[in-house]
Amino acid sequence: MANVKIPIGPQHPALKEPESFTITLNGETIISMDVRLGYNHRGIEKACEERNYIQAMYLVERVCGICSHSHSTCFIQAVEEIAGLAVPPRAQYIRTIIAELERIHSHLLWLGVAGHEIGFDTLLMYAWRDREAVMDTLAALTGNRVNYGINTIGGVRRDISPEQLAGLLKTMDVLEERTKYYIEVASQEITLIKRLSGVGYLAHEDAVKLGAVGPTARASAVDRDIRRDDPYIAYKDLDFKVITDTHNDVYGRTLVRVGELMQCYNMIRQLVAKIPDGPVTVKAPRKIPAGEAFSRYEAPRGEDVHYVKANGTDKAERVKIRAPTLANLQSVAKMMENNRLADVPIIIAAIDPCFSCTDRMVRIHDAGHGRQETLSWQALHTYSLDWHRKQGIDFKALNAKLSRRMKL
Amino acid sequence: MIHPGKMAREVLTSLFRKPATVLYPYVKVQMPDRFRGKIKFTSPLCIGCKLCMRDCPTNCITITKVGDKQFQAEFDLDRCIYCAQCVDTCPKKALEATAEYELAQLQHDKLKVIFHAEPTPASSPAAPAEHAPQSQPAIGA
Ligand code: SF4
Ligand code: SF4
């Protein structure tokens, strides 16, 4: 049978974000997959160069709606390193508490989404209902459900009161109870096991070779976690296990994430028990001395990397962000091989993708002549209009038709 | 025990529990104390240092001098991300975050909110001198 190419996305009911996957099929079986990025590029790195560090921090926080704390912490860690700021221990602990709460909400969200992608919407509803407990906690601690805005250069913006810490422990008990139930569901519900086992297989060697990160890598027995390997904020004081699994498939990725949830509850209990007293900020200079720093952070989806170069002014000279999804995209192409077309949504969802965080700008590269070209928005607009005119499209008639419609 | 329908019991017991959702907009949700909603400006406290303008990530505040030691603030709420950095930055506590969260509008011009320096005659003395063209929450007003 001849191979057939099927485009999935950039607009597709199974994808929540715009990304284009071209799938080569033989019958129902996937031969290969090609990913194309760039549908949601927002130019955040460049925009950071136009803003002072405080403003850039809020912008970076909005790289991702789900791991907002990951990005802002990763960014300011780099800035604080360049400025040589000693962030007070209490602030480090608060950052860690929020970081783990974020992981809890992200993994519970993923559990629901994964359920949805395989038609198990009951799991979606209950996982998301339980997730509300952690969302409410985040709102109470930081002032918002998403984009918490807890970080500031040199510390955190809000302290956590003893009552809140006590409340936090109660929430952890509730969530732990629920997570135990989901672990039971994941290990006993036969439809779930059958649907996810063997789907999206990523061998250990491939995971290493393709540079997979986070739960995607750990489910292929890659024992790697920045929290343990290169501790930042308060992780050096914590005792926790890095969860790995040898299933190498979507089922394994599910087990790793629910396993990590149990570790999160434990870590938060330790953090609450050990949190030191003291101030939560140090005064940060507005102008950051010249220098550069590279910061790593284990976001819920894997290793997040920020690079900041300062030039002595109050604005960064260069900010570079590598979100975890970008590191995992190559693995997705590998996972697709030899699966069925119907498995595409769950395989993509299993890396817990965040396409907007990953998006890159497209540069036109003429391989034959070595010419490179970047189109500005205006130039792209003109090019597109000209191209359509050449195809014989009459914009005058179209505009007239549109304005008639608008009037009706 | 491995069997299908593992969640059936959970589903059945949920039938007899109270709903997890809130009947918004008929029932309002109480925002936590630290919630960062619409920003309020208290003109008499402002010294016109414009530090808030410098730190606002979205450049949505404009402080203008309207008289001797009198300042008015203009907010473009369509740009505000409610980060409350301006509240942290202000040295005089002239800005504060309120719990107001129903800020969606159907008309764009209603998103411009001006806090005048002088209280307008219509507003009571205690209320902030706020002027937005019929500032009304769009939902559940
Ligand atoms: S920072 Fe405060 S005092 Fe300064 S201009 Fe803004 S509102 Fe006024
Ligand atoms: S809340 Fe944030 S975005 Fe809104 S005015 Fe204040 S600093 Fe600007």
Side-chain angles (χ1 to χ4, degrees), chain A residues 114-322:
Chain A
H116 172 69
E117 296 293 3
I118 57 170
F120 192 2
D121 279 300
T122 313
L123 184 60
L124 165 76
M125 293 296 168
Y126 287 97
W128 282 35
R129 179 195 68 189
D130 297 336
R131 174 174 167 264
E132 279 306 299
V134 60
M135 299 308 281
D136 288 345
T137 310
L138 279 167
L141 295 181
T142 67
N144 214 342
R145 287 162 61 92
V146 284
N147 295 329
Y148 323 111
I150 189 86
N151 281 324
T152 186
I153 296 167
V156 291
R157 292 168 69 197
R158 289 153 196 245
D159 202 351
I160 299 186
S161 68
E163 299 79 55
Q164 283 175 324
L165 287 177
L168 193 56
L169 289 180
K170 277 202 201 107
T171 315
M172 288 307 112
D173 292 343
V174 174
L175 286 170
E176 184 168 24
E177 209 46 54
R178 296 303 304 167
T179 307
K180 277 188 188 148
Y181 173 72
Y182 291 122
I183 292 179
E184 240 175 66
V185 170
S187 52
Q188 294 179 9
E189 171 64 50
I190 188 79
T191 50
L192 191 89
I193 300 171
K194 290 240 172 207
R195 181 68 185 84
L196 299 180
S197 295
V199 173
Y201 191 84
L202 182 72
H204 176 73
E205 301 74 46
D206 288 327
V208 175
K209 202 165 70 194
L210 296 169
V213 293
T216 309
R218 291 195 281 274
S220 293
V222 180
D223 190 11
R224 200 182 283 159
D225 192 320
I226 308 302
R227 292 176 290 172
R228 181 201 58 199
D229 303 340
D230 187 7
Y232 52 97
I233 39 182
Y235 286 112
K236 57 184 177 313
D237 302 346
L238 298 182
D239 180 26
F240 62 97
K241 269 215 316 267
V242 174
I243 307 287
T244 54
D245 194 88
T246 49
H247 278 87
N248 300 0
D249 53 12
V250 179
Y251 185 55
R253 282 160 222 147
T254 312
L255 294 182
V256 166
R257 289 199 177 91
V258 285
E260 280 184 7
L261 281 173
M262 296 302 283
Q263 295 295 317
C264 291
Y265 307 138
N266 238 327
M267 281 192 222
I268 289 186
R269 290 201 186 102
Q270 294 176 39
L271 286 162
V272 171
K274 289 186 191 170
I275 189 165
D277 286 332
V280 292
T281 39
V282 285
K283 198 161 165 33
R286 289 200 66 85
K287 291 186 175 158
I288 305 293
E292 54 186 348
F294 187 75
S295 157
R296 302 165 83 192
Y297 184 106
E298 186 71 30
R301 287 156 183 72
E303 182 186 359
D304 182 24
V305 178
H306 282 229
Y307 165 82
V308 179
K309 185 171 182 192
N311 54 10
T313 64
D314 64 349
K315 295 188 178 98
E317 179 150 325
R318 177 79 172 99
V319 176
K320 169 89 192 120
I321 301 169
R322 203 290 319 271

Side-chain angles (χ1 to χ4, degrees), chain B residues 39 56-58 60-61 75 79-86:
Chain B
I39 306 293
C56 172
T58 61
C60 77
I61 316 178
F75 286 84
R79 292 222 295 273
C80 182
I81 53 173
Y82 306 102
C83 61
Q85 176 61 43
C86 51

